[in-house]
Amino acid sequence: MPATKPPPESVLISESCLQHRIRELGAQISIDYENQELVLLGVLRGSVLFFADLARAISATHPSDPDCGVQVRFEFVQLMSYHESTKPSKVQLIRGGSNYLEHRHILIVEDIVDTGHTLKFLREHLETLNPKTVKVCTLLDKPAQRQVPVAIDYIGFEIPDAFVVGYGLDYAQQYRNLPYIALLEST
Ligand code: 5GP
């Protein structure tokens, strides 16, 4: 049964703004990881649309010039931090990264950093897998509700303290396929 929630109130970040910023992020990541192998580690499910667009914005290694571009590999983890509500709860690992992460450069691709608990949990989990480096790229940063300090290397947009949906982000599994970010309600 669909949740009886009102539709998103207003567009916070338009589709064209999102795409423009993601191209900028991809260009920066391409410079920072040039000639290297990079594991993009997507956090399911909210980051999937961002992940897909960001991956395509990173310059790929070309077969005719393997010394140019970034060799990208896809991996995913699934974490649960919100349980059908707009309040945060305990973080749980549902599906983990593979052993392939050992001695690799990892870029965590997140949809949004809010309290910071999810990212802290994921970083601690990754450390047990012995990676070479771990950096973080988040589409959205909501610093107003931060409870634990977390380092973020690439930020798409800093947003105000509000619950947002769209472009992968849900409310009770709804709204994920909106091509823009919308405000659902004020907190
Ligand atoms: P944190 O652990 O930093 O509080 O929360 C991270 C996770 O909470 C995100 O990956 C996302 O799933 C969820 N979250 C935090 N803020 C929002 C929001 O405004 N909208 C939606 N849809 N999810 C959010």
Side-chain angles (χ1 to χ4, degrees), residues 126-142:
L126 291 176
E127 287 312 319
T128 68
L129 301 175
N130 203 21
K132 198 182 274 179
T133 63
V134 179
K135 286 191 177 183
V136 178
C137 178
T138 186
L139 178 66
L140 305 175
D141 182 21
K142 199 159 59 168

Side-chain angles (χ1 to χ4, degrees), residues 65-173:
D65 188 2
D67 290 335
C68 200
V70 187
Q71 212 179 314
V72 167
R73 185 180 166 118
F74 293 177
E75 296 285 340
F76 296 92
V77 287
Q78 188 164 11
L79 302 167
M80 183 75 89
S81 60
Y82 274 67
H83 299 276
E84 311 273 313
S85 90
T86 57
K87 298 283 176 226
S89 54
K90 205 168 161 279
V91 182
Q92 276 179 282
L93 180 71
I94 295 174
R95 184 150 33 122
S98 72
N99 291 339
Y100 183 82
L101 300 178
E102 192 171 359
H103 306 312
R104 308 287 168 179
H105 293 296
I106 301 172
L107 183 61
I108 298 171
V109 180
E110 260 283 23
D111 52 356
I112 184 167
V113 180
D114 186 12
T115 63
H117 286 297
T118 304
L119 200 48
K120 181 172 180 285
F121 176 91
L122 181 55
R123 270 187 175 280
E124 286 171 1
H125 171 70
L126 291 176
E127 287 312 319
T128 68
L129 301 175
N130 203 21
K132 198 182 274 179
T133 63
V134 179
K135 286 191 177 183
V136 178
C137 178
T138 186
L139 178 66
L140 305 175
D141 182 21
K142 199 159 59 168
Q145 292 291 334
R146 196 76 89 248
Q147 293 173 6
V148 289
V150 281
I152 307 175
D153 303 279
Y154 306 95
I155 296 173
F157 301 88
E158 188 174 308
I159 62 164
D161 186 14
F163 194 81
V164 293
V165 293
Y167 196 63
L169 289 131
D170 75 310
Y171 175 80
Q173 301 304 327

Side-chain angles (χ1 to χ4, degrees), residues 11-32:
V11 176
L12 180 66
I13 307 169
S14 70
E15 184 174 2
S16 59
C17 256
L18 284 173
Q19 295 304 328
H20 177 78
R21 182 70 186 124
I22 292 165
R23 279 194 295 276
E24 288 180 343
L25 289 171
Q28 187 59 53
I29 292 165
S30 303
I31 292 167
D32 295 349

